[in-house]
Amino acid sequence: DIQMTQSPSSLSASVGDRVTITCQASQDISHYLSWYKQRPGKAPNLLIYDASILEAGVPSRFSGRGSGTNFTVIISSLQPEDIATYYCQQYDNLPVTFGGGTKVEIK
Amino acid sequence: QVQLQQWGAGLLRPSETLSLTCGVSGVSFSGYYWSWIRQSPGKGLEWIGEVNHSGSTEYNPSLKSRVSISVDTSNNTFSLKLSSVTAADTAVYYCTRQRFGTSWVFDFWGQGTLVPVSS
């Protein structure tokens, strides 16, 4: 199975800050990477797929980049509603696998 | 609007069979793949397997010997069975839709069902 490693596991930032979350795959996955946002007690919500394509309705302050083994999701200006845990997921090979999550909090 | 509504038994004893069903509304059942994913504090998010409208399935090899996913197109539902459960199967189970044209990207999720396994 492909291992997905996210960093940091948690972060604290102020409203308006630029936030970067990274995800590393244990092998080349091309651009087959998605990002999800999960609020406490809720199901994950798709943000980005194919590494950089925003799902419909996702605010433009979110962006994704990367290919191969290294990927990032950036929140250009953190908002209170962005408080959540973020997960990456590879879908280059079955079984699809997820990162361990990055919890984003407001400072 | 696409909605996935899931239901099934809650608390299970070790060795019992987990059984969950997901009802799909607001979209044609055909043409999509439908997956089950679970989330536990110990193992995080874990893909269990998928089914399409014709009943074709793929399973996570780590669970394949115990998992069965089936579809009922007449009722727009798909179901999960996981046999011989242990405490390690305690998790929140989600049904999901795979985004059209992008395999294994999950764009709609059910509300989740917590399934504790305890003696």
Side-chain angles (χ1 to χ4, degrees), chain A residues 1 34 36 38 41-46 48-50 53 55 87 89-99, chain B residues 37 39 44-47 50 58-62 94 97 99 101-112:
Chain A
D1 298 3
S34 57
Y36 299 84
Q38 185 178 34
K42 301 294 187 181
N45 185 49
L46 176 64
I48 291 168
Y49 62 95
D50 286 353
I53 301 175
E55 177 70 342
Y87 295 93
Q89 176 229 331
Q90 69 80 20
Y91 48 99
D92 183 50
N93 277 353
L94 289 184
V96 302
T97 49
F98 293 82
Chain B
I37 292 170
Q39 185 173 31
L45 287 159
E46 182 178 28
W47 177 75
E50 68 178 13
E58 285 280 358
Y59 299 126
N60 191 321
S62 68
Y94 294 100
R97 188 187 83 167
R99 190 180 179 283
T102 313
S103 297
W104 305 302
V105 174
F106 309 105
D107 61 352
F108 284 93
W109 296 61
Q111 78 275 21

Side-chain angles (χ1 to χ4, degrees), chain B residues 20-102:
Chain B
L20 296 173
T21 297
C22 184
V24 177
S25 61
V27 67
S28 172
F29 199 75
S30 300
Y32 290 94
Y33 279 76
W34 307 88
S35 277
W36 289 94
I37 292 170
R38 69 181 183 180
Q39 185 173 31
S40 63
K43 297 192 76 175
L45 287 159
E46 182 178 28
W47 177 75
I48 299 170
E50 68 178 13
V51 67
N52 70 359
H53 69 280
S54 64
S56 177
T57 56
E58 285 280 358
Y59 299 126
N60 191 321
S62 68
L63 298 168
K64 189 173 184 177
S65 64
R66 299 192 291 130
V67 171
S68 175
I69 299 176
S70 59
V71 63
D72 180 352
T73 54
S74 63
N75 288 307
N76 273 16
T77 62
F78 62 107
S79 298
L80 168 69
K81 291 189 185 300
L82 179 66
S83 63
S84 305
V85 298
T86 70
D89 295 311
T90 294
V92 176
Y93 287 76
Y94 294 100
C95 60
T96 71
R97 188 187 83 167
Q98 294 180 26
R99 190 180 179 283
F100 185 79
T102 313

